[in-house]
Amino acid sequence: MADNSTLTTEPTYSLNNGDTAWVMICACLVFLMSPALGFFYAGLARAKNALSLMYLTVLSVAVVSFQWYLIGYSLTFSETGGRFIGDSGNNKKRNIKKLSAKFITANFLLRGVGMKPALEGQTIPATAYMIFQAMFAALTPALAFGSAAERMSLGPAIIFIFIWTTVVYDIITCWVWGPHGWLYQMGVMDYAGGTPVHISSGLAAVAYAMVIGKRRDYHENVNTPHNVSFVFLGLALMWFGWFAFNAGSALAANARSVNSLVCTHLSACTAAIVWVLLDYRHTRKWSIIGLCTGAVAGLATITPGSGFVSPSSSLAFGAIGSVVCYIAIYYKHKMRIDDALDVFGVHYIGGLVGLVLTGVFAQQNIIALGYPEGTSLESIPIGGWLDGHWMQVPYQLAAIVSVSVWSFVVTYIILVIINKIPSLALRLVDEDEIIGTDWAQMGERAYGYLPFEEDEEADCYRRRSHIDPDVRSIAAGSGNHVQKHRFRNKIMKLLMSDKHTVIQGVPNLVEEPVLDYSQQKELSGSTTTVHTTPSLVQNTRTKQDKEIEPVIIERYPMQTMETDPSTAVQTPEHSISSASQK
C-alpha cells in the first residue's frame, strides 16, 4: 500500500504575518491618495470644473483595478515575462501564435496568484503584492488628467485609462520592476515609482495637453484656485498616503522601510520651506498654495531614492527638487503648452531630479537595511557615486530617456486615434467649456446654491453663433455687454440700496431706502430674488380711533417677477386691512 505521507511536501517559502499586515495597510493608504488627489486638483481648478476632477481620480481606480485583475498584473510581474513585457516568453524561436498565447496565460485573471510570494525573497503572499501594486497603477493615469483640466471631455476617459495602463504603464513597470525587465537587469535604482509613476504620468500629461489644445481663456488670469481649503485637505491626505507609498515599497516592516518613511517626511518638509521662501521672495506673500505645491514636489523627488539614501541626503532631495520644480513652473509659459495643474513641472521634473540624485546619493549600507543580519556585503548591491559607482547616474539617465520617449510617443498616438472617433472627441465644445465640465458633462455642480454667471455667457455665445456663423468661440467673460452687466451688478451690491418705496393711503409716509441683501436662491426650479426690509413703523392709536383705512402698496420688495396674485405674499399691512374689512 502506498504511503500517503510522501504526497505532503513542505512549502519552499516562508511568510511573515507582520510584513503581510504592513503591506495590506499600505495598500489601503495608497488607495486614499486617489481621492486625495481629487480634492487637490479640484481645489486648484475653477468651481465649475471641480467635480469632474474628483470623478476622474476615482474612475481611474475603478478602471485600472479591473484592468489589473484582467491582464495588467500578468503583463507586468509574471514569472514567465520577458525583458520588454510580461508573458512575452523567453524563447528566441517563437512565432506569433505562441506569443499571443503566452501574452495572456501566466497570470490571466490572477490565475496562479495566491499564497506563494510573487518574487524571490519576499515574505508576503502574491495577492498582497498584487493589490499593493494595483494602487500604484490606479493613481498614475489620474495624475496625467491634471494637465487637461477644464476643457477635456469625460466620455473617452474610460477607454483612455484602460488602453494607456495596458500599453504604457504596464510595459514601463515591467522594464523597471519586472523580474526580467531590461532596466531592472541593467541595475536602475527606482525604489517607489519615479519612472513608472512620475516620469510616465508627467510626459503623458504633456501629450494630453498638446493634443487637446489650450483653454479658451488661457491668456487671461484663470489659474486662481477656487477652494484653497480643498488643496490643503488634498495635500494632507496625500502626504499621509505617501508614507505608505514609499515605506510600503520595502514589502516588509523592517529598518529599510523605516528609513524610507523618515526620508520621505524630511524631503517634503524641506521642499515646502524652500518653496514658501521662493514664493515670498517673488510675491512678498506667504502662500499656502506654495506650501502645498512645494511639499508635493519634495514627495515626488524623494520617491525613487527613499530606500537607497540616508536621511541627511533626503534634505538635498527636498531642497534641490523644490528649486528646480519652482523654476520649471515659473517658466512653463515658454513651453507654449497649457498644463493646467502643473503636472509636468511638479511630477515629471521632480521624478527626473530624484532619479538623478539617487544615482549620486545611493549607499550600500542603506540598501543593506532590507537584508537579514549577517548578509555578506558581496551579495548586497552597491550604491551610487558616494560608493564610487560612477556608472549609476548613466543608468538612471538611460531609464529617464527611454521611459520619457515611450510614454510621450505612445500616449500621443493613443490620444490622436481616440480623437479621430467622432463620438469620442477629447475636447469639449465651446459652449460646454464656457458652462463648465461639471454642469455640461455631468449635470451636477460642486456648489448648487451659488449662481453661475457662465450660464449667461453660454446664452451670449449661442446668440452670437446664431447671428454670425463665423463666430465659433467667445472667451469666458470677454464680451463687453457681459462686462458691463457684471460691473452694474457689483456696483448695486456695493451700494446695497433700493429705490424709494412710496406707500399710498398714509399721509406723508415715505419709506427711506433700506439695505437690500439680494441673494439668488433656486426654489422649485425657478430663481427667486428675495429682498429683506425692516417692518414699517406704525403709528400707535387707541382703541377709540377710527378703523384703519386699507393700505394700498404700489410696490413691495417681497414681490418677485414670477409672483402669482393667488399666491402673493401676505404682508402685515394686508393682514390688517383684511381684518378691518371683516
Side-chain angles (χ1 to χ4, degrees):
M1 186 174 180
D3 187 5
N4 293 333
S5 61
T6 59
L7 299 178
T8 303
T9 58
E10 294 293 333
T12 59
Y13 56 87
S14 61
L15 300 178
N16 185 287
N17 292 335
D19 295 343
T20 302
W22 168 242
V23 173
M24 291 172 61
I25 293 174
C26 288
C28 297
L29 295 179
V30 175
F31 160 78
L32 184 64
M33 295 178 67
S34 292
L37 180 67
F39 273 110
F40 191 84
Y41 277 176
L44 289 174
R46 283 176 284 187
K48 62 182 180 180
N49 303 296
L51 288 184
S52 61
L53 293 168
M54 296 182 180
Y55 164 83
L56 289 171
T57 55
V58 179
L59 178 69
S60 179
V61 176
V63 175
V64 173
S65 297
F66 173 76
Q67 187 271 352
W68 199 251
Y69 163 78
L70 190 66
I71 58 174
Y73 180 79
S74 182
L75 295 179
T76 308
F77 294 109
S78 61
E79 295 182 359
T80 58
R83 294 171 60 84
F84 183 77
I85 191 171
D87 295 336
S88 62
N90 296 318
N91 298 326
K92 294 182 179 180
K93 297 179 180 179
R94 58 181 182 269
N95 52 33
I96 297 178
K97 184 177 181 181
K98 292 181 179 180
L99 178 63
S100 61
K102 292 186 71 61
F103 189 79
I104 61 173
T105 51
N107 299 123
F108 178 66
L109 298 178
L110 298 184
R111 184 175 59 182
V113 180
M115 294 297 294
K116 182 180 177 181
L119 302 175
E120 183 180 355
Q122 292 183 0
T123 58
I124 62 173
T127 49
Y129 182 67
M130 180 276 301
I131 194 63
F132 179 69
Q133 288 292 341
M135 299 307 168
F136 278 63
L139 179 65
T140 307
L143 291 170
F145 286 130
S147 66
E150 302 192 339
R151 78 269 197 197
M152 65 174 293
S153 175
L154 303 181
I158 296 178
I159 297 176
F160 172 78
I161 293 172
F162 190 95
I163 297 176
W164 188 88
T165 304
T166 303
V167 299
V168 177
Y169 180 84
D170 292 348
I171 292 178
I172 292 174
T173 307
C174 180
W175 294 355
V176 179
W177 289 337
H180 306 290
W182 68 277
L183 290 176
Y184 179 82
Q185 295 292 334
M186 180 188 295
V188 170
M189 292 182 177
D190 188 351
Y191 187 71
T195 43
V197 178
H198 298 290
I199 295 292
S200 64
S201 65
L203 264 298
V206 172
Y208 216 129
M210 291 178 63
V211 173
I212 204 172
K214 298 179 181 179
R215 284 168 289 182
R216 309 181 53 78
D217 46 6
Y218 170 70
H219 296 290
E220 300 180 13
N221 185 20
V222 298
N223 292 322
T224 302
H226 94 278
N227 194 327
V228 181
S229 300
F230 275 10
V231 178
F232 179 80
L233 176 62
L235 180 275
L237 295 176
M238 279 200 297
W239 196 332
F240 179 58
W242 222 300
F243 288 137
F245 192 89
N246 288 354
S249 296
L251 303 177
N254 54 24
R256 193 180 186 187
S257 178
V258 176
N259 179 85
S260 176
L261 189 148
V262 173
C263 291
T264 300
H265 187 63
L266 291 178
S267 177
C269 294
T270 305
I273 295 173
V274 172
W275 197 290
V276 166
L277 295 177
L278 291 173
D279 253 355
Y280 183 79
R281 179 179 179 273
H282 179 66
T283 64
R284 295 300 173 182
K285 299 291 183 181
W286 302 106
S287 171
I288 191 171
I289 295 294
L291 178 71
C292 296
T293 306
V296 173
L299 292 168
T301 304
I302 195 60
T303 293
S306 58
F308 295 104
V309 303
S310 66
S312 299
S313 299
S314 68
L315 301 178
F317 275 71
I320 298 174
S322 182
V323 171
V324 177
C325 290
Y326 185 89
I327 295 174
I329 293 178
Y330 188 77
Y331 291 103
K332 72 173 184 177
H333 63 279
K334 299 289 185 181
M335 297 177 57
R336 300 183 183 276
I337 297 174
D338 185 10
D339 182 3
L341 304 182
D342 297 325
V343 182
F344 175 83
V346 174
H347 294 279
Y348 179 81
I349 298 299
L352 185 152
V353 173
L355 285 166
V356 174
L357 293 180
T358 299
V360 175
F361 291 101
Q363 295 178 262
Q364 189 181 39
N365 62 332
I366 301 298
I367 302 174
L369 296 175
Y371 287 77
E373 293 185 7
T375 304
S376 61
L377 291 178
E378 289 76 11
S379 59
I380 299 175
I382 196 172
W385 283 6
L386 291 184
D387 287 346
H389 187 203
W390 309 111
M391 285 300 296
Q392 190 59 48
V393 170
Y395 292 160
Q396 303 294 97
L397 293 176
I400 294 171
V401 173
S402 58
V403 170
S404 298
V405 172
W406 181 265
S407 178
F408 177 79
V409 173
V410 177
T411 304
Y412 194 91
I413 294 173
I414 294 172
L415 292 171
V416 169
I417 294 175
I418 293 177
N419 200 37
K420 293 293 184 181
I421 304 174
S423 59
L424 296 177
L426 298 175
R427 180 69 182 252
L428 289 177
V429 297
D430 297 338
E431 182 181 339
D432 289 350
E433 186 176 347
I434 295 173
I435 295 174
T437 312
D438 295 353
W439 189 248
Q441 295 257 294
M442 305 175 66
E444 299 169 335
R445 286 172 173 168
Y447 310 97
Y449 55 86
L450 293 180
F452 274 67
E453 295 180 346
E454 289 77 10
D455 294 341
E456 179 180 293
E457 295 168 9
D459 292 337
C460 171
Y461 168 78
R462 285 192 292 268
R463 290 194 298 270
R464 291 189 60 184
S465 299
H466 178 71
I467 297 174
D468 186 359
D470 294 333
V471 177
R472 298 285 182 241
S473 64
I474 178 174
S478 62
N480 292 332
H481 66 287
V482 177
Q483 292 288 354
K484 292 178 180 179
H485 181 76
R486 288 181 174 178
F487 180 77
R488 183 187 63 190
N489 287 344
K490 290 179 180 179
I491 293 298
M492 294 299 294
K493 291 179 180 180
L494 180 63
L495 296 177
M496 293 185 298
S497 61
D498 193 9
K499 297 180 180 179
H500 287 34
T501 302
V502 180
I503 304 178
Q504 297 179 354
V506 179
N508 300 326
L509 180 58
V510 177
E511 183 184 10
E512 294 296 327
V514 296
L515 295 179
D516 181 11
Y517 299 93
S518 300
Q519 182 179 4
Q520 298 289 335
K521 295 184 179 180
E522 296 184 3
L523 301 175
S524 303
S526 63
T527 303
T528 303
T529 305
V530 180
H531 303 272
T532 59
T533 61
S535 59
L536 299 177
V537 180
Q538 301 178 0
N539 295 329
T540 305
R541 299 182 179 181
T542 60
K543 294 182 180 181
Q544 291 78 13
D545 292 340
K546 61 181 179 180
E547 294 184 354
I548 302 175
E549 298 178 358
V551 180
I552 302 174
I553 299 180
E554 182 181 70
R555 176 183 178 276
Y556 194 76
M558 287 298 292
Q559 189 173 359
T560 65
M561 297 174 59
E562 300 179 4
T563 303
D564 191 322
S566 62
T567 60
V569 179
Q570 293 292 333
T571 64
E573 289 79 10
H574 286 135
S575 301
I576 297 174
S577 300
S578 300
S580 62
Q581 292 175 0
K582 292 181 182 179

